[in-house]
Amino acid sequence: DAKTTQPNSMESNEEEPVHLPCNHSTISGTDYIHWYRQLPSQGPEYVIHGLTSNVNNRMASLAIAEDRKSSTLILHRATLRDAAVYYCILRDGTGFQKLVFGTGTRLLVSP
Amino acid sequence: GAVVSQHPSWVICKSGTSVKIECRSLDFQATTMFWYRQFPKQSLMLMATSNEGSKATYEQGVEKDKFLINHASLTLSTLTVTSAHPEDSSFYICSATRGGFAGNTIYFGEGSWLTVV
């Protein structure tokens, strides 16, 4: 499984934008980049995913580098409810297409 | 978004007994379901992948005779922890997808806490 590297933790203030980085230098051409987040004692929640182009949805934006070796999850205005562990995961476009979680980034949001 | 539901949310069982956890996709047909376990302050660890109507594929190091997975229909998968021991106490999470395409979203259940006493 292609691996991702994320900072262990990041801090933000409420209502400020947050940029969560992810490095995936060994990404293959068929790997999709998925982002999930997990609040304490809950199952992970889907945030966004993409392949090559930048993506936007109501929760966040995903900026993918041109060489696809890194990506950034952008929360445009952080709220206290965005405090969670964010996981950047590569999902193989072939085979069983499973999601293998790394250690993620713990985002702390201060009021 | 799609909903995946797990039952029970928490369960306490005696050592040596078996316990079953259900995972249902409520508003879509899940051709593929995944089972994870998570210990406190750790990330999710994939246990197995199950495709409807076929045997589950277990990750290396996961005992298939201890963690029985059944995916008999497109909306239901079950995980049975057999002869449970205290070290099996953990947070078990299932996920489901329509499958077949890596760009498809995978939806997660709320998780099930298992405590073995």
Side-chain angles (χ1 to χ4, degrees):
Chain A
D1 303 310
K3 292 186 176 179
T4 62
T5 304
Q6 299 177 254
N8 288 333
S9 65
M10 291 185 65
E11 295 185 24
S12 175
N13 294 318
E14 204 174 7
E15 299 192 2
E16 289 185 353
V18 180
H19 291 234
L20 298 168
C22 180
N23 287 320
H24 28 79
S25 59
T26 59
I27 190 170
S28 73
T30 56
D31 287 336
Y32 281 77
I33 303 162
H34 287 249
W35 283 82
Y36 285 77
R37 69 182 185 183
Q38 185 181 28
L39 278 66
S41 298
Q42 295 187 25
E45 175 187 26
Y46 168 77
V47 178
I48 201 167
H49 76 277
L51 182 61
T52 56
S53 303
N54 294 343
V55 185
N56 299 295
N57 66 20
R58 64 177 179 81
M59 288 183 68
S61 295
L62 176 59
I64 301 173
E66 195 169 336
D67 63 4
R68 301 215 317 132
K69 293 185 176 182
S70 65
S71 61
T72 302
L73 178 69
I74 303 167
L75 306 179
H76 296 286
R77 289 183 65 189
T79 70
L80 296 178
R81 290 180 296 176
D82 291 323
V85 179
Y86 286 79
Y87 296 98
C88 166
I89 306 166
L90 300 183
R91 190 177 181 207
D92 189 358
T94 62
F96 285 112
Q97 303 156 5
K98 55 192 178 185
L99 283 179
V100 178
F101 284 75
T103 54
T105 296
R106 181 174 299 278
L107 175 65
L108 304 172
V109 181
S110 302
Chain B
V3 178
V4 174
S5 179
Q6 285 184 238
H7 178 81
S9 299
W10 57 270
V11 58
I12 301 173
C13 72
K14 290 185 177 181
S15 187
T17 63
S18 296
V19 62
K20 180 185 289 187
I21 300 170
E22 293 186 346
C23 176
R24 295 181 184 273
S25 57
L26 299 184
D27 54 357
F28 69 99
Q29 293 186 327
T31 55
T32 305
M33 287 185 168
F34 305 90
W35 286 94
Y36 295 82
R37 67 189 297 183
Q38 185 176 33
F39 293 108
K41 299 188 185 299
Q42 294 186 21
S43 185
L44 285 77
M45 185 195 80
L46 180 64
M47 300 175 68
T49 302
S50 72
N51 292 295
E52 185 265 338
S54 60
K55 289 184 178 180
T57 300
Y58 290 80
E59 294 297 304
Q60 191 172 8
V62 178
E63 300 175 61
K64 62 180 180 181
D65 295 329
K66 180 169 183 63
F67 300 99
L68 302 179
I69 292 172
N70 182 280
H71 190 168
S73 78
L74 286 171
T75 59
L76 174 65
S77 176
T78 60
L79 167 68
T80 301
V81 183
T82 63
S83 186
H85 292 284
E87 57 265 31
D88 298 323
S89 299
S90 186
F91 190 47
Y92 290 88
I93 308 166
C94 75
S95 63
T97 180
R98 293 178 177 86
F101 175 48
N104 282 344
T105 300
I106 296 180
Y107 300 96
F108 285 79
E110 318 95 317
S112 300
W113 284 101
L114 169 63
T115 300
V116 184
V117 297

